[in-house]
Amino acid sequence: MSIKTYNTDCIKFMNNHKDFIDLILTSPPYNMTKRKGGDADTSRYDEYNDWKKPEEYLNWSVNIFNHFNDVLIKNGIVVYNFSYSIENPSFPYQLVSEIVSKTNFCIADTIIWKKPHSMPFPASPNRLQRIYEFIFIFVRKDEIKSFTTNKQISKVSPTNQTYYYPIKNFIEAKNNDKQTKSINQATFSTDLVMKLLTIYAKPNKDFIVYDSFLGTGTTAIGCIKYGCSFLGTEISEKQFDYTNNRINKELNEKNKNTTRIYKTCWR
């Protein structure tokens, strides 16, 4: 098992790689920092502008998925967590529509991630408390029938019809890893990552998971615990340093026989 991290922009990284990633598991910035006159000073990110115009963000996302198409192996899968701001609840649907219409990907499934704690809207008289987020499962359009999960065969009928034990598209998992909130409020949890890996990843050193928005390293920690290899990119030097310390601590605690490769290609 190897763990590789790069302090660089994901598009810049993917420009130089092709056909070697088995699974992409990531959560991009949601483009929700700018609220009623917000600006760069209100951003939760130190190196990324989380206040793009909607059309700019959609074009940026399409570009990322076109690069995903290059780095994924045949029948590779993209597990993409995305949510919305209270000002633009339709944005996830716009995003999916753009990706499906302008890239080689289609939606294979949508998973509902239910959190223990909801996001309150105390100032709104008509918005409900949001206790779930979407996780979109993208595959290439011509691989919609050939990609695989970890579903196990339950029986084969006399007519050779194969039946599988069900995996439901509803996951209950923690909101975040609490220790990471001081560096980045917008994270998901190792609990969620582990449950997603159980569905889509193989627990062996040759299976490579890529997180294009490494953040505080939650996906990396999940891969270490699960037993597959990991590769991640993060544009923020501050988050990158925090994440590498977190990864090294996890590796030391688990005493894994892991190749740790620390890469920096900052700016």
Side-chain angles (χ1 to χ4, degrees):
M1 179 173 69
S2 68
I3 308 296
K4 302 180 183 180
T5 56
Y6 296 80
N7 187 193
T8 190
D9 176 76
C10 64
I11 293 176
K12 179 180 177 181
F13 172 81
M14 289 188 286
N15 276 335
N16 299 311
H17 295 81
K18 188 169 182 171
D19 298 334
F20 78 114
I21 299 296
D22 295 280
L23 173 71
I24 295 170
L25 197 165
T26 195
S27 181
Y30 294 165
N31 206 44
M32 61 171 60
T33 294
K34 189 172 183 179
R35 296 180 178 180
K36 298 180 179 178
D39 54 28
D41 293 334
T42 69
S43 177
R44 68 185 70 191
Y45 304 107
D46 60 345
E47 291 290 342
Y48 169 80
N49 296 343
D50 193 39
W51 57 95
K52 292 179 171 65
K53 293 180 180 179
E55 58 272 21
E56 181 185 1
Y57 184 89
L58 292 173
N59 290 335
W60 175 76
S61 301
V62 165
N63 189 23
I64 286 172
F65 267 79
N66 283 329
H67 282 79
F68 285 171
N69 187 52
D70 292 333
V71 299
L72 278 174
I73 66 167
K74 184 178 180 179
N75 290 314
I77 300 170
V78 180
V79 179
Y80 209 69
N81 166 228
F82 190 79
S83 192
Y84 56 89
S85 69
I86 59 174
E87 288 81 20
N88 197 356
S90 66
F91 203 52
Y93 308 101
Q94 292 176 267
L95 176 69
V96 169
S97 177
E98 286 290 297
I99 292 169
V100 171
S101 64
K102 296 181 179 180
T103 78
N104 198 27
F105 289 92
C106 65
I107 290 285
D109 268 307
T110 302
I111 293 175
I112 300 300
W113 167 26
K114 180 179 178 294
K115 304 178 179 183
H117 308 292
S118 61
M119 297 291 291
F121 302 139
S124 174
N126 56 13
R127 299 293 178 87
L128 307 183
Q129 287 182 293
R130 189 180 70 221
I131 201 167
Y132 76 91
E133 288 192 15
F134 295 119
I135 300 172
F136 299 108
I137 310 303
F138 289 95
V139 299
R140 294 185 182 97
K141 293 170 183 174
D142 60 354
E143 296 171 355
I144 187 66
K145 294 183 179 181
S146 59
F147 85 98
T148 60
T149 67
N150 291 329
K151 294 180 75 173
Q152 300 297 307
I153 296 174
S154 61
K155 68 176 182 178
V156 179
S157 73
T159 59
N160 288 324
Q161 173 66 53
T162 303
Y163 295 90
Y164 297 87
Y165 291 106
I167 298 177
K168 297 180 180 178
N169 69 336
F170 182 86
I171 294 176
E172 296 186 71
K174 294 179 181 179
N175 289 47
N176 49 56
D177 294 346
K178 291 183 178 180
Q179 71 271 26
T180 67
K181 292 186 69 178
S182 62
I183 192 78
N184 185 345
Q185 295 281 329
T187 66
F188 46 43
S189 64
T190 304
D191 183 25
L192 174 66
V193 170
M194 293 290 289
K195 290 176 179 179
L196 291 169
L197 291 174
T198 300
I199 300 172
Y200 294 106
K202 302 293 186 291
N204 64 65
K205 65 180 182 179
D206 296 322
F207 192 96
I208 301 175
V209 176
Y210 172 50
D211 187 347
S212 48
F213 304 98
L214 177 60
T216 58
T218 305
T219 305
I221 299 300
C223 288
I224 293 169
K225 292 178 181 293
Y226 189 69
C228 59
S229 291
F230 173 80
L231 191 153
T233 49
E234 173 55 47
I235 195 172
S236 166
E237 188 172 17
K238 180 179 179 181
Q239 292 196 59
F240 181 76
D241 290 341
Y242 173 92
T243 295
N244 275 281
N245 288 332
R246 186 184 181 201
I247 289 171
N248 285 324
K249 182 179 179 181
E250 179 69 24
L251 292 173
N252 289 335
E253 289 178 353
K254 296 299 180 182
N255 194 27
K256 294 283 186 180
N257 181 22
T258 302
T259 303
R260 178 75 184 95
I261 303 179
Y262 184 103
K263 296 276 188 178
T264 302
C265 41
W266 174 242
R267 298 195 190 281

